[in-house]
DNA sequence: CTCGGCCTGCTC
DNA sequence: GAGCAGGCCGAG
């Protein structure tokens, strides 16, 4: 679900609500009979999570690509939201969220009770999300595998060209590869390619230096604007205060197959590249 | 690199 | 009932 702009929005909202508070109680809601990977991960860490989180103070909330990091006074908790992961934070007590049954519901896997009293809920319908306590070197190893932050200084047209050079794979697939640039997902990859007027099927090695410059700028502009609008809600993205994003109204191609291209008016297309639905304009993107 | 698998829920 | 959904990992 969440790509960089959504995770950044979550980070900003969460930061306001949890930094400086202590974790008073850790509630892991792991169904006994399921052994999904999320639950296996949690079960493996269950005792560790409880003992290492309880009593800790949350010092900061960081983001790297699509990962959230809760810095504690001792250690850190890394959270990846997968496709449908959500974080809610609210004063303790049953939490009404967008017409859902009160939280915690059957998809709520972790509840952190904080001083305040404040509650943080981790909810994930498809259970592709991950939650891990990691050491310094583990965090380093994990993040070392990621490419540059698209809004950071290390990301340039040259780094993009490096990621594309010699690659036969379509540029769309390369943009989804987190080693090339870290934080783009399916929505923003399609949006950035449209803004750069580049056909998503173009092999990486055929991207010209000029196109790399345009695409670099398109990626930055798209992500910055999406953060300004607090992310995209297609179906189940909500921020920790259960507010929808605002960028879905500004998408130019994603989720609009058959609708007129905002640039030329011809119907937008949808196909599959790298097993992902890909939206583009056959006339504008070459 | 691409593919299938991991999950639940929604739409056709 | 099939296919699809904002992500990633491991196998080939």
């Amino acid at each position: 679900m969440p790509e960089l702009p959504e995770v950044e929005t979550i980070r900003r909202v969460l930061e306001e609500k949890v930094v400086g508070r202590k974790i008073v109680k850790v509630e892991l809601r792991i169904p006994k009979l399921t052994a999904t990977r999320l639950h296996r991960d949690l079960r493996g860490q269950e005792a560790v999570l409880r003992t290492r989180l309880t009593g800790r103070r949350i010092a900061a909330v960081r983001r790297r690509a699509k990962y959230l990091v809760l810095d504690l006074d001792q250690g850190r908790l890394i959270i990846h939201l997968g496709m449908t992961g959500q974080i809610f934070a609210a004063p303790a007590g049953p939490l009404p969220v967008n017409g859902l049954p009160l939280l915690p519901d059957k998809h709520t896997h972790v509840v952190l009770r904080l001083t305040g009293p404040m509650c943080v809920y981790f909810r994930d319908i498809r259970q592709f999300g991950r939650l891990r306590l990691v050491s310094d070197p583990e965090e380093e190893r994990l993040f070392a595998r990621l490419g540059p932050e698209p809004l950071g200084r290390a990301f340039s047209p040259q780094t993009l060209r490096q990621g594309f050079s010699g690659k036969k794979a379509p540029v769309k697939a390369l943009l989804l590869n987190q080693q090339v640039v870290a934080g783009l997902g399916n929505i923003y990859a399609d949006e950035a390619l449209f803004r750069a007027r580049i056909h998503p099927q173009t092999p990486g090695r055929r991207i010209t230096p000029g196109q790399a410059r345009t695409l670099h700028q398109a990626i930055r502009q798209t992500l910055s604007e999406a953060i300004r609008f607090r992310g995209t809600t297609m179906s189940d993205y909500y921020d920790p205060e259960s507010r929808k994003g605002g960028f879905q109204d500004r998408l130019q191609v994603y989720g609009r197959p058959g609708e007129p291209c905002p640039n030329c008016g011809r119907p937008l297309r949808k196909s599959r590249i790298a097993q992902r639905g890909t939206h583009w304009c056959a006339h504008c993107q070459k």
Side-chain angles (χ1 to χ4, degrees):
Chain A
M1 170 220 312
E3 306 180 31
L4 188 151
E6 290 75 35
V7 179
E8 177 60 20
T9 305
I10 291 171
R11 189 198 69 73
R12 292 178 183 183
V13 176
L14 193 60
E15 180 174 64
E16 291 299 311
K17 302 195 161 255
V18 305
V19 167
R21 297 185 196 274
K22 268 189 183 168
I23 301 170
V24 179
K25 188 177 165 202
V26 181
E27 198 181 322
L28 301 173
R29 314 176 83 255
I30 301 175
K32 292 280 177 292
L33 294 176
T34 62
T36 66
R37 194 181 305 183
L38 171 65
H39 287 149
R40 273 202 300 274
D41 280 7
L42 289 179
R43 187 169 294 157
Q45 290 214 351
E46 199 170 347
V48 186
L49 273 175
R50 248 192 263 282
T51 55
R52 302 261 306 273
L53 286 181
T54 308
R56 298 281 62 77
R57 188 175 150 280
I58 301 173
V61 184
R62 288 184 285 130
R63 178 191 61 75
R64 169 78 167 101
K66 303 174 194 172
Y67 292 87
L68 269 180
V69 185
L70 293 197
D71 274 327
L72 310 173
D73 49 8
Q74 294 171 50
R76 68 192 60 59
L77 181 67
I78 295 194
I79 301 170
H80 193 287
L81 297 170
M83 289 279 251
T84 52
Q86 300 168 320
I87 303 256
F88 296 108
L95 176 63
V97 177
N98 321 299
L100 288 174
L102 297 180
L103 292 190
D105 67 345
K106 68 168 173 172
H107 297 300
T108 307
H109 307 293
V110 181
V111 183
L112 301 180
R113 295 188 157 272
L114 311 183
T115 48
M118 175 68 68
C119 257
V120 175
Y121 303 86
F122 172 70
R123 183 173 186 268
D124 187 1
I125 293 179
R126 292 177 69 183
Q127 303 177 28
F128 291 170
R130 297 291 177 266
L131 199 142
R132 279 197 93 75
L133 275 169
V134 296
S135 63
D136 265 6
E138 281 173 329
E139 178 187 342
E140 231 172 277
R141 232 177 302 139
L142 176 66
F143 290 166
R145 287 185 302 175
L146 300 173
E149 282 291 321
L151 299 177
R153 313 202 80 186
F155 181 58
S156 66
Q158 287 69 37
T159 56
L160 254 193
R161 286 177 60 196
Q162 273 172 30
F164 294 163
S165 79
K167 305 283 176 64
K168 203 154 60 165
V171 61
K172 164 72 184 274
L174 295 169
L175 288 183
L176 293 177
N177 182 338
Q178 302 296 297
Q179 295 189 4
V180 174
V181 52
L184 284 178
N186 209 32
I187 295 178
Y188 299 110
D190 283 0
E191 291 296 313
L193 286 168
F194 174 76
R195 290 179 188 221
R197 303 288 185 258
I198 296 171
H199 195 294
Q201 198 59 262
T202 313
R205 59 185 182 191
R206 299 277 175 250
I207 298 291
T208 67
Q211 284 179 312
R213 263 200 311 279
T214 312
L215 183 53
H216 168 263
Q217 197 184 1
I219 289 169
R220 290 206 189 213
Q221 284 179 351
T222 306
L223 294 177
S224 309
E225 200 184 329
I227 291 172
R228 263 202 312 283
F229 282 85
R230 299 180 12 265
T232 299
T233 299
M234 295 302 292
S235 55
D236 43 19
Y237 166 69
Y238 291 90
D239 77 8
E241 292 185 304
S242 82
R243 285 179 303 190
K244 287 187 184 192
F247 198 68
Q248 58 278 8
D249 301 328
R250 310 189 84 79
L251 295 175
Q252 307 204 51
V253 292
Y254 186 89
R256 334 184 69 101
E259 293 181 34
C261 167
N263 190 45
C264 74
R266 293 173 175 82
L268 294 170
R269 312 262 297 256
K270 179 174 179 184
S271 66
R272 265 188 119 62
I273 297 178
Q275 290 79 247
R276 310 300 299 278
T278 299
H279 311 73
W280 89 102
C281 172
H283 180 256
C284 296
Q285 294 173 258
K286 302 293 180 193

